[in-house]
Amino acid sequence: MYRAFVGPFDPAVIMMFTLKDASKWWHVLNDTPIWQDRFFHALALLYGLVAIVAMMQLVRIQQRVPEYGWTTQKVFHFLNFVVNAVRSLIFVFRRDIQYLKQEILKHILLDVPSLAFFTTYVLLVLFWAEIYYQARAVPTDVLRPTFYTVNGIIYAIQISLWLVIWWKPVRVLVILSKMFFAGVCLFAALGFLLYGGRLFLMLQRFPVESKGRRKKLQEVGYVTSICFTCFLIRCIMMCFNAFHSVANLDLLEHPVLNFIYYLLVEILPSALVLFILKKLPPKRGINQYHNIR
């Protein structure tokens, strides 16, 4: 019997050293204060830039059509500004938040922007559902009350979970809170798939020569894909976060993971959607602009 020779260029050896070096660098980046600051400052800067873009877009729309009040489009951009501005501040003051005596306050500060992000992007689902049903001559009176009711129920359940965790901070309740939010993210992903897909298929059936058909198809298709993917990733990550400490998204504990996670599920989706929906409504006096209230 001959023993196989394992040399320095053996693929298994190379893979072993590569994984070892990657693990070493991962721990260095996570545990070094200067690298922690760099990652979190980068997150704060990126969130701040997205907030500025959202506010600029809101101001431009208001200058174009001030007489229509708070349309769905304006509310969407305003909520985008609020969510990203709050996230930026959270990462700027992350050390103060990390060392709060009440653990529940840290959960609330991290979870409230996530809930607001959900509300912001479900507004797009509402907008598309209204367009879809109006095009099919179906009454849309029930859609907005349903939107408010669903959001109210979700916020009420989450606030109840916070109060219970504050009263009795046990591990099971924290897991339940994270799994509840994972379910909320899955609900949002399915909402985009349902109404974004329906609107996309409806637009496909329009005549080829329809004005703006191709651009609107691309817009709906891109936004549906981006939002479905980001909420699905968020759902999966929250499930891992609930049961595995290596996927913990608490501040300062895993800065590299925080950077990758928030970049994929909030910053990039927000930036891409703002870019795709950058088109302004027609100027005043042009009748093509119809407000959906």
Side-chain angles (χ1 to χ4, degrees):
M1 297 292 292
Y2 293 94
R3 180 176 297 177
F5 174 72
V6 180
F9 299 106
D10 187 273
V13 175
I14 294 173
M15 180 64 71
M16 182 181 69
F17 280 105
T18 302
L19 292 174
K20 186 176 180 181
D21 290 342
S23 175
K24 179 181 177 182
W25 277 107
W26 180 272
H27 287 295
V28 168
L29 294 175
N30 272 327
D31 300 334
T32 307
I34 189 169
W35 278 107
Q36 292 176 358
D37 289 340
R38 286 172 180 172
F39 280 113
F40 288 121
H41 287 161
L43 282 173
L45 177 62
L46 291 172
Y47 273 113
L49 290 174
V50 176
I52 291 169
V53 171
M55 178 53 68
M56 289 174 62
Q57 188 71 355
L58 174 61
V59 171
R60 292 172 68 202
I61 295 170
Q62 179 62 21
Q63 288 175 344
R64 279 288 184 99
V65 284
E67 68 274 14
Y68 285 106
W70 282 96
T71 64
T72 302
Q73 191 180 23
K74 291 179 184 178
V75 173
F76 172 76
H77 287 296
F78 175 73
L79 289 177
N80 247 314
F81 164 74
V82 172
V83 170
N84 286 281
V86 171
R87 279 287 191 211
S88 180
L89 291 174
I90 286 173
F91 286 119
V92 168
F93 298 104
R94 67 201 176 280
R95 294 192 184 278
D96 296 322
I97 294 171
Q98 182 71 24
Y99 299 118
L100 286 171
K101 293 182 179 180
Q102 292 288 341
E103 190 74 15
I104 188 60
L105 293 178
K106 183 165 66 175
H107 286 297
I108 291 172
L109 287 171
L110 292 175
D111 291 345
V112 166
S114 298
L115 287 172
F117 184 87
F118 163 81
T119 300
T120 302
Y121 282 85
V122 171
L123 261 179
L124 288 179
V125 177
L126 171 66
F127 185 71
W128 288 347
E130 288 177 328
I131 293 174
Y132 176 77
Y133 286 125
Q134 283 182 356
R136 297 175 64 89
V138 177
T140 60
D141 298 339
V142 73
L143 291 177
R144 273 184 188 269
T146 302
F147 170 80
Y148 295 132
T149 301
V150 168
N151 274 272
I153 291 172
I154 288 172
Y155 279 78
I157 293 173
Q158 185 62 72
I159 291 170
S160 300
L161 287 170
W162 287 335
L163 291 173
V164 174
I165 293 171
W166 174 65
W167 173 62
K168 195 171 184 180
V170 296
R171 172 70 178 164
V172 175
L173 293 174
V174 175
I175 292 174
L176 182 62
S177 177
K178 291 179 179 180
M179 290 303 297
F180 169 72
F181 188 69
V184 169
C185 293
L186 181 61
F187 174 76
L190 294 177
F192 274 102
L193 194 62
L194 176 63
Y195 285 105
R198 282 182 171 183
L199 188 58
F200 184 84
L201 293 175
M202 186 183 73
L203 290 170
Q204 271 191 327
R205 291 193 292 268
F206 281 7
V208 177
E209 60 273 9
S210 294
K211 186 179 179 180
R213 171 185 176 271
R214 182 178 178 184
K215 187 172 183 181
K216 188 58 67 176
L217 263 175
Q218 290 177 341
E219 179 182 298
V220 173
Y222 288 151
V223 173
T224 298
S225 302
I226 291 166
C227 294
F228 171 77
T229 303
C230 93
F231 278 107
L232 186 62
I233 291 173
R234 190 162 209 155
C235 172
I236 295 170
M237 192 62 196
M238 289 305 297
C239 292
F240 278 106
N241 185 16
F243 296 102
H244 300 283
S245 59
V246 292
N248 193 354
L249 293 167
D250 287 344
L251 292 174
L252 292 181
E253 192 162 331
H254 294 113
V256 180
L257 184 62
N258 270 271
F259 183 81
I260 296 170
Y261 173 74
Y262 286 109
L263 188 68
L264 291 178
V265 304
E266 286 189 1
I267 295 171
L268 276 179
S270 296
L272 290 172
V273 171
L274 286 173
F275 176 76
I276 294 168
L277 302 180
K278 66 182 183 299
K279 183 181 177 182
L280 297 175
K283 292 181 180 179
R284 287 173 289 179
I286 299 176
N287 294 326
Q288 288 95 329
Y289 179 69
H290 299 284
N291 176 38
I292 296 178
R293 294 184 179 277

